[in-house]
Amino acid sequence: MDISQEIAELKRRRNAVILAHNYERGEVQDVADYTGDSLELARRAAGVEADVIVFCGVYFMAETAAILNPGKTVLIPDESAGCPMADMITGEQLRKLKAEHPGAKAVCYVNSTAEVKAECDICVTSGNAERVMRTFAPDEEIIFVPDQHLGSHVAGILGAKYILWPGYCPTHAKLTPGMIEQARLAHPGAPVMVHPECPKAVRDIADQVLSTGGMCKWARETDAKTILVGTELGICHRLAKENPGKTFIPVAEHLICPNMKKTTLEKLRDCLVNLSPQVTVPPAIAIPAKRAIDRMLEVS
Ligand code: 13P
Ligand code: SF4
C-alpha cells in the first residue's frame, strides 16, 4: 500500500475529512477532500459532518476550524506550522490599541491568533474583505489588524481610512515591482495576478489583485493562455491541474511560505494514526472569537 492509500484508509477508519490550503505541497493537495483559500476552508470547516478534521495549512487555520467545531477533533500534521504575520500582534497589543481608540470597531484578518479574533467585532479573509468592510459606514473609525497591505488595499478601494497595524507577510514582502516588470518582459501580454498581501507598489502594477480562491476562479474564466502568478508557489499546482490548456508562470521562484511546506504526507499519515497533534482553543477565547468569525460568514 502506498502512503496515499494508507491515508485514504486511515481517513475512512477515523471518519475524517482532510482540508488543504492552496499553498500546500501538491501531493498533500492531491489527497485532500477539499483544497481552497482561507474563506472556502472556513466555510467547509463550519459544515463538516466527519468526527475528525485534519487541517493541512498553518496554525491559525486549524484554530479557526477548532473554534467553529467545538465538539470535533481537529488535527494539524505539524503544529509548528505557524503564520509569522498572525504572530505580529498579540491580544495584549490589540487591547492597548483599542483603549487608545475607544469608539473604534476592531477588524482582524483571519491570519490572526484566536486571542486576537476574540478581541474583534468581525473577521475578514482576503476573499471577502471588500464585501465585509462595505458593511461599515464610510466614516466609521476602524482598527484593522494585522496586515497593513490587505488593510490599505481595501481602504483604497472603498476610499476609507483605517487605523492599520504594521503587520505583513514575509513571503509576499519578497515580491518587488522589478520582478513583475521582468516577468512581463519575458512573457509579453501575459496578465499578472497578485495577492492583496503584496506591498502597494506591486499591487498597483498588477492586472488582478485576488485571494488564492479568486485567482483559481479568474484563471478558469479568463481567455488568457499564459498567466503570471504573484503569490506563493504552491497554488501553481492547483492552477495547472484545473486548467490543462493554460500555462502558469510564477513571477518569482522563491515565493515559498516555509510553514505551508511543513506538512508532508508522512506527517499527515502519522497524525491520523496518533490522533495528534490536536488543536484546541479554550472556551473563554473560542466563544468570542467564534462570534467574529460567524459574523464574517453571515455577511459573505
Ligand atoms: P487566501 O485566503 O487568499 O488563501 O490567503 C491566505 C494566506 O495565508 C495568504 O498568504
Ligand atoms: Fe502567513 Fe504569508 Fe505564509 Fe500566508 S503565506 S501563511 S500570510 S506567512
Side-chain angles (χ1 to χ4, degrees):
M1 209 174 357
D2 75 10
I3 190 157
S4 303
Q5 289 168 317
E6 259 186 272
I7 291 168
E9 173 56 22
L10 280 160
K11 201 179 70 167
R12 195 189 53 74
R13 253 202 288 147
R14 295 296 195 192
N15 188 23
V17 65
I18 301 175
L19 307 181
H21 188 265
N22 289 324
Y23 294 160
E24 288 290 307
R25 292 168 185 271
E27 64 272 22
V28 170
Q29 296 187 29
D30 290 343
V31 298
D33 296 287
Y34 304 105
T35 300
D37 69 6
S38 307
L39 177 61
E40 291 157 348
L41 295 176
R43 283 210 188 102
R44 289 282 178 201
V48 155
E49 286 189 0
D51 298 320
V52 175
I53 301 170
V54 187
F55 212 112
C56 302
V58 289
Y59 200 84
F60 77 81
M61 297 179 176
E63 218 175 34
T64 304
I67 292 166
L68 290 169
N69 291 279
K72 295 196 194 292
T73 301
V74 177
L75 304 173
I76 185 162
D78 185 326
E79 63 187 333
S80 74
C83 167
M85 182 210 287
D87 295 330
M88 285 179 189
I89 184 165
T90 62
E92 186 52 42
Q93 286 171 312
L94 179 54
R95 280 189 287 278
K96 189 164 170 284
L97 187 62
K98 282 167 61 177
E100 288 163 11
H101 302 276
K105 292 276 182 347
V107 179
C108 62
Y109 187 22
V110 72
N111 296 38
S112 53
T113 62
E115 197 195 353
V116 163
K117 289 185 179 80
E119 291 291 333
C120 288
D121 296 284
I122 196 162
C123 197
V124 302
T125 73
S126 56
N128 65 14
E130 187 185 328
R131 214 170 329 145
V132 172
M133 298 312 286
R134 276 189 198 281
T135 64
F136 291 102
D139 56 350
E140 190 128 26
E141 195 183 16
I142 291 168
I143 293 169
F144 190 103
V145 301
D147 188 11
Q148 57 179 304
H149 297 306
L150 177 65
S152 79
H153 175 62
V154 179
I157 294 172
L158 301 184
K161 203 170 173 332
Y162 304 144
I163 300 156
L164 297 173
W165 188 256
Y168 64 94
C169 163
T171 301
H172 287 93
K174 290 184 186 142
L175 201 56
T176 63
M179 291 171 189
I180 306 253
E181 279 153 18
Q182 272 200 325
R184 279 205 167 114
L185 279 176
H187 304 277
V192 181
M193 50 186 190
V194 303
H195 197 273
E197 287 173 13
C198 291
K200 182 169 175 0
V202 168
R203 298 192 315 264
D204 281 351
I205 60 167
D207 297 289
Q208 299 290 328
V209 181
L210 297 163
S211 72
T212 63
M215 288 182 187
C216 292
K217 183 171 181 290
W218 191 80
R220 269 196 303 274
E221 292 169 358
T222 180
D223 291 333
K225 293 285 178 253
T226 301
I227 298 160
L228 299 171
V229 183
T231 192
E232 213 275 350
L233 282 192
I235 196 172
C236 289
H237 175 79
R238 179 169 169 198
L239 290 170
K241 198 166 148 183
E242 291 182 352
N243 301 278
K246 297 180 182 172
T247 306
F248 298 92
I249 297 167
V251 171
E253 290 286 350
H254 65 296
L255 280 197
I256 294 173
C257 172
N259 288 291
M260 287 284 184
K261 298 298 175 271
K262 284 185 177 170
T263 303
T264 58
L265 288 180
E266 287 74 18
K267 289 183 201 169
L268 172 49
R269 175 201 51 207
D270 293 349
C271 85
L272 275 164
V273 171
N274 302 322
L275 283 184
S276 165
Q278 286 193 22
V279 177
T280 55
V281 183
I285 290 177
I287 292 166
K290 186 169 186 301
R291 246 176 259 140
I293 301 166
D294 283 344
R295 276 193 209 116
M296 166 187 86
L297 292 173
E298 276 159 29
V299 300
S300 65

